[in-house]
């Protein structure tokens, strides 16, 4: 991207609707795709766009709730000699920091005690900028709002069926964004591209267009749930790492959703307990197709029409596994 970043304020009725549903938040749209972010993003957007990329960086970029944490742990272990001891003792957020975290954890809203504020006091990109190489970086920002030379580094992009994404994102939004509406209301905002990090399809299509670049690995959450060992092999090959059958079996066991959900280095349990879980968990069911339990017939028809419309101009398709 070149020139001044495009910023558009939402119309007053939309902003009022969102502020009523996401208590304490104000949003605007950024960039050519109109990415929905907190209005405070305007003060930091250029820093994300212009941050220095190192050739030995490793990035995981996703639209939220697409298997990000699962993929981070997989990628980190493949690149760190399967060091399970360190992985279990060191929080994933320290090993694989979230680029825009400081913008999206509102200390005044989530109720963290003052002594827990330290990791949020400085912009995340400043901490990452000073980190030793190789850096492992997570972001949900679309590629068009990240550095233009991002693919000088290795990037793993993960995509997931948007219906499952919406369900998972709704649950987490209740905790982190003070969302007070029901799921059907959230879904209607989702398809109108009015939730954080939306619009959904441009986010994916930007990465899909680069999927053949030597430094881009595009994977699907559905493939991870169906055949994790095959995805592990693809990730290892992408990073020029050799894994034995035993290595892959052990890594599958470590990443098994039942073990993963109990792993305090990845499950955000301490953070969620501090802010109040509202009955939610960070690591949810780890399954595909759970959206069917949340969609009525009207929503199913709406979703199919929305999918058909947005996939008409692309060969991007979400895997279906029986």
């Amino acid at each position: 991207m070149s020139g001044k970043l495009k910023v558009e304020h939402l119309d007053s009725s939309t902003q009022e609707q969102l502020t009523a549903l996401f208590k304490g938040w104000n949003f605007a749209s950024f960039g050519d795709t109109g990415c929905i972010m907190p209005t405070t993003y305007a003060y930091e957007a250029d820093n994300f766009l212009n941050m220095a990329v190192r050739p030995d960086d490793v990035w995981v970029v996703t639209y939220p709730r697409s298997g990000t944490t699962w993929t981070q742990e997989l990628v980190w272990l493949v690149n760190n000699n399967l060091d399970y001891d360190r992985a279990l003792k060191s929080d994933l957020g320290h090993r694989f920091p979230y680029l825009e975290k400081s913008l999206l954890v509102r200390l005044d809203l989530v109720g963290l005690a003052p002594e827990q504020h330290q990791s949020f006091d400085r912009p995340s990109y400043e901490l990452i900028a000073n980190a030793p190489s190789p850096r492992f970086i997570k972001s949900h920002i679309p590629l068009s709002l990240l550095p233009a030379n991002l693919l000088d580094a290795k990037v793993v992009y993960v995509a997931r069926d948007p219906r499952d994404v919406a369900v998972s994102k709704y649950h987490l939004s209740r905790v982190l964004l003070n969302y007070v509406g029901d799921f059907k209301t959230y879904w209607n905002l989702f398809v109108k591209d009015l939730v954080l990090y939306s619009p959904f399809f441009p986010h994916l299509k930007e990465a899909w267009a680069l999927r053949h670049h030597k430094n881009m690995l595009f994977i699907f959450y559905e493939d991870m749930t169906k055949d994790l060992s095959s995805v592990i092999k693809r990730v290892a090959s992408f990073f020029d790492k050799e894994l034995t059958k035993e290595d892959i079996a052990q890594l599958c066991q470590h990443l098994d959703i039942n073990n993963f959900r109990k792993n305090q280095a990845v499950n955000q349990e301490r953070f969620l307990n501090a802010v109040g879980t509202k009955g939610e968990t960070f690591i949810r069911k780890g399954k595909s197709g759970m959206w069917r339990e949340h969609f009525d017939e009207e929503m199913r028809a709406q979703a199919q029409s929305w999918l058909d419309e947005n996939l008409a101009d692309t060969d991007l398709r979400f895997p279906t596994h029986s």
Side-chain angles (χ1 to χ4, degrees):
M1 180 182 294
S2 61
K4 187 175 178 60
L5 178 68
K6 182 179 179 182
V7 182
E8 290 188 0
H9 295 287
L10 304 179
D11 65 76
S12 59
S13 62
T14 300
Q15 189 66 263
E16 287 174 8
Q17 179 190 20
L18 295 182
T19 301
L21 289 167
F22 298 90
K23 298 293 185 180
W25 290 88
N26 290 294
F27 300 99
S29 70
F30 296 86
D32 293 337
T33 64
C35 182
I36 299 296
M37 294 293 284
T39 52
T40 52
Y41 182 76
Y43 303 110
E44 305 291 353
D46 286 343
N47 293 311
F48 296 122
L49 189 62
N50 298 316
M51 68 177 289
V53 175
R54 302 177 194 169
D56 58 354
D57 283 344
V58 174
W59 291 66
V60 167
V61 180
T62 72
Y63 186 90
R65 310 308 288 171
S66 297
T68 319
T69 306
W70 210 13
T71 306
Q72 286 176 268
E73 184 77 344
L74 164 56
V75 167
W76 189 90
L77 282 164
V78 164
N79 282 280
N80 285 274
N81 300 312
L82 302 180
D83 189 347
Y84 294 105
D85 185 60
R86 184 180 167 199
L88 289 168
K89 291 179 180 178
S90 178
D91 191 272
L92 182 62
H94 296 302
R95 293 181 278 124
F96 216 129
Y98 178 16
L99 179 62
E100 61 270 23
K101 177 180 73 171
S102 56
L103 279 178
L104 295 168
V105 177
R106 288 277 303 278
L107 300 176
D108 57 323
L109 296 180
V110 298
L112 288 180
E115 62 270 17
Q116 297 172 300
H117 288 195
Q118 185 176 359
S119 65
F120 302 97
D121 284 343
R122 291 176 61 195
S124 309
Y125 62 81
E126 287 187 6
L127 300 173
I128 292 171
N130 295 318
S133 293
R135 302 181 302 182
F136 294 84
I137 304 168
K138 158 194 166 179
S139 182
H140 295 310
I141 298 173
L143 297 182
S144 55
L145 296 181
L146 290 172
N149 66 329
L150 184 65
L151 288 179
D152 287 351
K154 292 276 193 179
V155 178
V156 178
Y157 189 95
V158 193
R160 185 184 188 186
D161 187 309
R163 293 165 292 192
D164 280 326
V165 167
V167 171
S168 185
K169 201 160 178 263
Y170 156 73
H171 284 285
L172 191 63
S173 294
R174 295 180 65 238
V175 178
L176 293 185
L177 296 176
N178 285 347
Y179 178 74
V180 296
D182 60 16
F183 174 66
K184 191 167 189 176
T185 301
Y186 188 89
W187 169 251
N188 284 321
L189 294 174
F190 188 90
V191 296
K192 293 176 182 177
D193 298 326
L194 289 174
V195 297
L196 187 66
Y197 289 111
S198 286
F200 176 82
F201 278 105
H203 199 300
L204 271 64
K205 288 177 181 179
E206 288 179 355
W208 183 250
L210 296 168
R211 68 192 182 281
H212 298 306
H213 192 286
K214 66 178 182 177
N215 282 341
M216 168 70 81
L217 177 64
F218 193 108
I219 60 178
F220 287 98
Y221 179 90
E222 290 77 12
D223 290 335
M224 295 177 71
T225 61
K226 177 65 175 180
D227 188 358
L228 182 57
S229 62
S230 291
V231 175
I232 290 173
K233 291 174 186 177
R234 288 186 64 202
V235 170
S237 176
F238 179 64
F239 289 105
D240 297 318
K241 304 292 183 181
E242 293 187 7
L243 299 179
T244 66
K245 290 182 180 179
E246 292 75 18
D247 290 335
I248 293 171
Q250 185 179 14
L251 188 48
C252 282
Q253 183 67 18
H254 177 80
L255 295 170
D256 178 88
I257 192 64
N258 294 315
N259 296 327
F260 206 61
R261 193 181 294 114
K262 299 172 187 174
N263 183 348
Q264 290 198 344
V266 301
N267 66 14
Q268 301 284 345
E269 184 176 289
R270 289 182 290 268
F271 175 76
L272 290 180
N273 285 339
V275 303
T277 66
K278 299 179 182 176
E280 303 292 356
T281 58
F282 187 74
I283 307 296
R284 300 192 69 249
K285 298 182 179 180
K287 296 180 180 179
S288 299
M290 298 300 291
W291 61 268
R292 294 179 179 87
E293 298 179 3
H294 296 79
F295 281 58
D296 60 27
E297 289 304 316
E298 178 188 12
M299 295 166 71
R300 290 183 182 216
Q302 179 193 30
Q304 190 59 58
S305 176
W306 179 70
L307 283 164
D308 291 344
E309 177 184 352
N310 282 282
L311 293 174
D313 63 349
T314 177
D315 57 356
L316 168 66
R317 295 294 183 270
F318 300 98
T320 55
H321 298 296
S322 59

